[in-house]
Amino acid sequence: MLDNILNRLRPERKYDREELAQRLPPGQSLTEKWPVLHYGGVPHPDLKTWTFRVFGLVEKPVVWSYEDFMALPHGSTERLDIHCVTRWSKFDNVFEGIPFKEVYDRVRPRPEASYVMVHAEQGFTTNVPLADLLQPNVIFAYKNNGEN
């Protein structure tokens, strides 16, 4: 199995057996591409009307335009491997983005806030513990490996 994975990878990046065995979880397949696994069409938001809204248990609710959001301090870079629940992994992703803490500091969550409900395109939602979002490597990524 490891030989098959090693043979399919880009020639410019070599993973030896030991590294692959350490980084690739059991049952996962390594990919160099982004698998398209979603419901419905791929969203193409109009950035002129796009908004980023924070409301709920915060002292200062905000609604930012794309331009306002991108004006927040950014430039944080995080390198990481992605291991998807649908059994694919993608190594050495370099994400650039705006640190979650930049948003947190501006909206000032109330002491009783412990989770964040994230609303996304096409009606998707997920809830995330606020403690997880406050980790120093959490960013709102706008680039992956140099591409928007």
Side-chain angles (χ1 to χ4, degrees):
M1 169 104 173
L2 286 179
D3 286 332
N4 289 339
I5 292 169
L6 288 167
N7 290 335
R8 287 194 320 256
L9 297 175
R10 291 180 293 184
E12 65 270 14
R13 176 58 167 106
K14 300 287 186 191
Y15 299 97
D16 64 35
R17 290 175 154 273
E18 186 176 317
E19 180 184 12
L20 197 57
Q22 288 176 351
R23 292 175 70 184
L24 189 64
Q28 292 288 103
S29 295
L30 188 60
T31 184
E32 295 292 330
K33 301 175 184 175
W34 283 107
V36 179
L37 303 169
H38 57 82
Y39 174 80
V42 175
H44 298 283
D46 179 357
L47 298 182
K48 291 179 180 142
T49 60
W50 181 92
T51 58
F52 186 98
R53 185 167 70 121
V54 181
F55 59 95
L57 296 176
V58 294
E59 298 296 328
K60 297 185 100 175
V62 298
V63 178
W64 288 312
S65 67
Y66 182 77
E67 187 175 285
D68 294 337
F69 185 71
M70 292 303 289
L72 294 173
H74 57 283
S76 290
T77 302
E78 297 295 332
R79 175 183 292 277
L80 54 96
D81 295 345
I82 295 174
H83 306 291
C84 183
V85 298
T86 59
R87 299 178 29 156
W88 58 265
S89 293
K90 190 170 185 302
F91 289 170
D92 299 316
N93 296 276
V94 178
F95 289 101
E96 296 174 57
I98 298 165
F100 174 79
K101 191 81 164 67
E102 292 294 339
V103 172
Y104 178 90
D105 289 344
R106 284 164 176 74
V107 302
R108 297 196 316 260
R110 294 182 185 160
E112 62 269 26
S114 57
Y115 283 82
V116 172
M117 178 62 79
V118 179
H119 299 261
E121 296 290 334
Q122 299 178 334
F124 287 96
T125 60
T126 190
N127 59 332
V128 183
L130 187 54
D132 289 351
L133 294 171
L134 286 169
Q135 297 302 308
N137 65 340
V138 176
I139 63 175
F140 293 100
Y142 55 81
K143 282 189 180 180
N144 172 250
N145 296 329
E147 296 182 24
N148 289 336

